[in-house]
Amino acid sequence: MQNFTGQKVVISGASRGIGKAITLAFLEQGATVIGIYGGNKEAAAIMLEECSRFDNRLQLHQCDVANPLQVENFFKQIEEEFDTIDILINNAGIRRDKLLAMMDEESWQQVIDINLTGTFLMCRSAVLLMLKQKYGRIVNITSPVANLGFAGQTNYGASKAGQIGLTRSLCKETARKKITVNCVSPGFIDTELIADLTPEQVKEYKKIVPMRRFGKVEEIAAAVLFLASKDAAYITGSVLDVNGGL
Ligand code: NAP
């Protein structure tokens, strides 16, 4: 495992699920993490408490990644305190599943705004800071739904496919500045995001996965840390599937 001592990492959705595991993994490896959460103050407080052993290397900020002004202000604070950042992980994401014929515009727009526009806004501010030092790692958390499709997830699938398109174009803009941009695509991972699945659905979906199990948040964190490491210097514009063979 790469050591990230001295590196500054911004992670969205850092308070729960996959983002929490990624945050813990970076903290374990010596990084300073500036995390973002959406609205769940209780989860953020628990996370801070759990991380008190990391010598104040974790900050958590409430910031809506879909709100341009909030994202801009968040990065202004970072620039004042740290000047630049080394790593950005766009992990915040939501689902609002409905069949397309029944889908209200709000369910469509919220998912696109948080999952895709949020990724754009965070990348825009982060790249400007990374350019100052001509180094950076960006990892966007997408989903197999982007390629495979899933009934009830046209909004989510479009947002996740959009993240891949953004990644492949942005990496071409930043390659010469040593800023890599990649995706990690987790399969079914046991978090609150999929807590609404019935036991029957869980059983059914596990049958679809060749490894016959859901993934662990730590298995996603390991892939993210690799792409964020100096060892991954020649990997950009790629999508790393971590899905048990889906
Ligand atoms: P989760 O447990 O529901 O956690 C979501 C995190 O995102 C929370 O920290 C939440 O903060 C934050 N968030 C939500 N809306 C936000 C906003 N507008 N601004 C800032 N932060 C916001 O989800 P997860 O399962 O860990 O998923 C993380 C990522 O992995 C998502 O992009 C998801 O699409 C992707 N993914 C997950 C799976 C899976 O099976 N779990 C599979 C493939 C891809 P609050 O708690 O404050 O709301």
Side-chain angles (χ1 to χ4, degrees):
M1 187 71 81
Q2 178 96 16
N3 190 295
F4 289 90
T5 301
Q7 295 201 41
K8 285 146 294 192
V9 188
V10 170
I11 304 176
S12 68
S15 56
R16 293 193 289 117
I18 294 171
K20 181 172 181 171
I22 297 169
T23 300
L24 287 169
F26 273 117
L27 289 169
E28 300 278 1
Q29 298 307 320
T32 293
V33 177
I34 309 113
I36 283 179
Y37 67 98
N40 188 335
K41 289 195 166 103
E42 202 187 328
I46 293 170
M47 175 73 176
L48 278 174
E49 176 66 33
E50 279 177 26
C51 292
S52 53
R53 66 184 191 277
F54 291 113
D55 315 322
N56 296 322
R57 282 187 287 111
L58 173 66
Q59 297 183 7
L60 279 183
H61 298 247
Q62 186 173 6
C63 170
D64 178 2
V65 294
N67 182 314
L69 200 61
Q70 287 185 28
V71 172
E72 211 180 298
N73 286 337
F74 168 74
F75 275 95
K76 257 188 209 151
Q77 280 181 48
I78 290 188
E79 191 172 17
E80 276 164 23
E81 186 171 350
F82 298 103
D83 188 37
T84 180
I85 62 164
D86 304 288
I87 297 165
L88 168 68
I89 313 297
N90 283 306
N91 162 80
I94 61 162
R95 281 171 52 212
R96 295 283 182 271
D97 296 1
K98 285 185 180 99
L99 294 176
L100 182 138
M102 315 290 173
M103 192 176 295
D104 53 292
E105 284 157 33
E106 198 185 343
S107 298
W108 172 267
Q109 203 58 53
Q110 272 186 351
V111 170
I112 298 294
D113 285 351
I114 294 176
N115 297 4
L116 181 56
T117 307
T119 300
F120 154 66
L121 293 171
M122 294 288 291
C123 283
R124 184 172 64 179
S125 289
V127 162
L128 286 171
L129 294 190
M130 289 170 175
L131 282 171
K132 288 198 206 180
Q133 60 177 12
K134 296 192 179 62
Y135 176 84
R137 297 276 183 269
I138 298 176
V139 181
N140 299 320
I141 308 298
T142 180
S143 162
V145 179
N147 297 319
L148 303 177
F150 210 87
Q153 294 200 321
T154 51
N155 50 357
Y156 186 78
S159 72
K160 294 291 166 184
Q163 282 182 308
I164 296 175
L166 182 153
T167 298
R168 296 218 157 108
S169 290
L170 178 58
C171 81
K172 293 186 166 52
E173 297 179 11
T174 59
R176 286 200 302 162
K177 303 293 181 195
K178 298 189 174 61
I179 299 169
T180 66
V181 194
N182 291 289
C183 289
V184 166
S185 179
F188 293 101
I189 310 298
D190 218 345
T191 69
E192 285 171 53
L193 188 77
I194 59 168
D196 60 330
L197 298 183
T198 63
E200 293 72 37
Q201 283 174 313
V202 169
K203 215 169 148 190
E204 215 42 49
Y205 295 154
K206 281 186 182 166
K207 280 190 206 155
I208 305 171
V209 183
M211 286 191 182
R212 298 288 187 270
R213 68 170 177 89
F214 285 180
K216 299 180 196 140
V217 288
E218 294 79 11
E219 290 170 323
I220 305 307
V224 169
L225 261 67
F226 167 63
L227 287 175
S229 72
K230 293 197 169 156
D231 288 342
Y234 201 53
I235 304 175
T236 197
S238 74
V239 179
L240 178 52
D241 295 318
V242 188
N243 61 22
L246 267 181

